[in-house]
Amino acid sequence: MASHPAHISPDKRFLIFFDFDETIVDETSDDMVVQAVPGQHLPGWLTDTYQPGRYNEYMQRVLAYLAEQGVTESDIRSVMEKIPATPGMLTLFQFLRNRPAKDFEVILVSDANTYFIECWLRRVGARQLFHRIFSNPATFNKDGRLVLRPFHSHDCPRCPDNMCKQVIVKDYVARRTQERGRPYQRIFYVGDGANDFCPALSLGPRDVAFPRRDFPMHRLITETHEAQPGEFKAVTVPWVSAEDVVQRLRKLVAD
């Protein structure tokens, strides 16, 4: 599911993708929602049902359990709104907001869900910054349960069953390039996790990957450079604070 406004200007110079969990926010929203449960922990019989690559299905069961325990939409929204931003992220958002309208097309690609993301972005006043949000669809049903569905299916062996971000990024870039009639000057990707490495592999030598320093995305890029030189093509700029991203973007947009 992609939530988006009706039209994006065709004259944007740059395309920037963001992950959400542990990139925009300094926690994993799926872990944080457990704080809404009485006692703030899940029973072992539930956590034991998790299978590698099937996390989306596991979270469907977690959200059903929350509803059974009487957790309401208001309870979940309250937890989401309290998650802190990563260091410097709101400064990066302000930088993007203050640039000329022709500079940045801003996209969010996340294996969290649309409800958690929209809650948080609206709380910090950043929803309008994002032209598209690609995430697992989540809506409340008439019984007050947050119902989560997978984003799509794919054939990538690296990624969980419900989402390959490279498929999303490559499809989006191809479609937008065709609509615009020309490529972007540069594409940027800001992330942290192993599932952010996969889309960053599709970037070219003029593009920039911004992995959070010492997180899985950064480690995978480093390992790939060592094991398969030339396989990872993008310039790599690790960040500790998103203000590091601002500093590099300032130089690049001035070129």
Side-chain angles (χ1 to χ4, degrees):
M1 178 177 178
S3 59
H4 52 80
H7 177 71
I8 303 175
S9 167
D11 56 4
K12 305 284 188 184
R13 296 167 61 203
F14 308 107
L15 178 60
I16 184 165
F17 291 96
F18 283 87
D19 171 48
F20 184 68
D21 289 325
E22 297 197 270
T23 295
I24 290 176
V25 293
D26 210 13
E27 303 282 355
T28 298
S29 55
D30 284 345
D31 293 342
M32 295 300 287
V33 77
V34 176
Q35 293 186 3
V37 182
Q40 299 194 350
H41 73 275
L42 299 175
W45 64 261
L46 178 54
T47 57
D48 288 348
T49 66
Y50 168 67
Q51 295 175 290
R54 312 292 285 271
Y55 192 77
N56 185 266
E57 294 172 28
Y58 168 69
M59 279 308 298
Q60 292 173 35
R61 293 190 289 274
V62 169
L63 293 172
Y65 175 78
L66 263 61
E68 290 165 8
Q69 298 301 305
V71 175
T72 66
E73 177 175 359
S74 175
D75 296 331
I76 293 174
R77 185 171 62 249
S78 177
V79 169
M80 290 304 125
E81 289 178 345
K82 290 186 177 76
I83 301 176
T86 51
M89 189 54 63
L90 298 182
T91 302
L92 173 52
F93 285 179
Q94 195 61 40
F95 167 79
L96 294 172
R97 205 180 276 121
N98 290 342
R99 294 297 306 174
K102 290 185 178 181
D103 269 6
F104 287 97
E105 184 170 327
V106 187
I107 310 297
L108 199 157
V109 186
S110 168
D111 197 12
N113 68 70
T114 54
Y115 181 78
F116 290 178
I117 293 166
E118 296 262 0
C119 277
W120 194 89
L121 291 178
R122 292 186 192 286
R123 197 268 294 170
V124 300
R127 177 62 189 89
Q128 293 306 310
L129 179 63
F130 290 87
H131 297 92
R132 294 280 192 276
I133 295 174
F134 295 98
S135 191
N136 302 297
T139 51
F140 283 89
N141 67 11
K142 58 180 173 36
D143 300 321
R145 175 161 71 92
L146 185 56
V147 179
L148 175 67
R149 297 191 303 281
F151 180 81
H152 64 186
S153 58
H154 61 85
D155 299 320
C156 175
R158 272 189 297 265
C159 293
D161 291 355
N162 63 294
M163 179 174 285
C164 172
K165 294 184 179 183
Q166 184 179 132
V167 170
I168 296 169
V169 166
K170 287 175 79 170
D171 285 355
Y172 186 81
V173 171
R175 180 165 55 81
R176 290 290 293 135
T177 300
Q178 185 175 21
E179 288 171 358
R180 292 154 46 89
R182 65 186 186 282
Y184 296 91
Q185 290 180 26
R186 295 181 195 271
I187 298 172
F188 307 111
Y189 192 104
V190 186
D192 74 283
N195 67 349
D196 295 312
F197 171 72
C198 192
L201 270 174
S202 69
L203 300 179
R206 283 185 55 79
D207 304 328
V208 183
F210 291 100
R212 195 171 181 186
R213 184 177 291 279
D214 297 330
F215 278 66
M217 180 189 182
H218 185 208
R219 289 197 293 271
L220 286 166
I221 292 171
T222 303
E223 289 167 8
T224 302
H225 280 310
E226 292 170 356
Q228 299 169 276
E231 175 71 10
F232 191 89
K233 298 176 180 64
V235 176
T236 304
V237 180
W239 59 279
V240 174
S241 164
E243 293 187 28
D244 304 335
V245 180
V246 173
Q247 288 180 4
R248 180 54 68 101
L249 290 179
R250 275 194 212 284
K251 295 175 184 171
L252 291 170
V253 298
D255 287 354

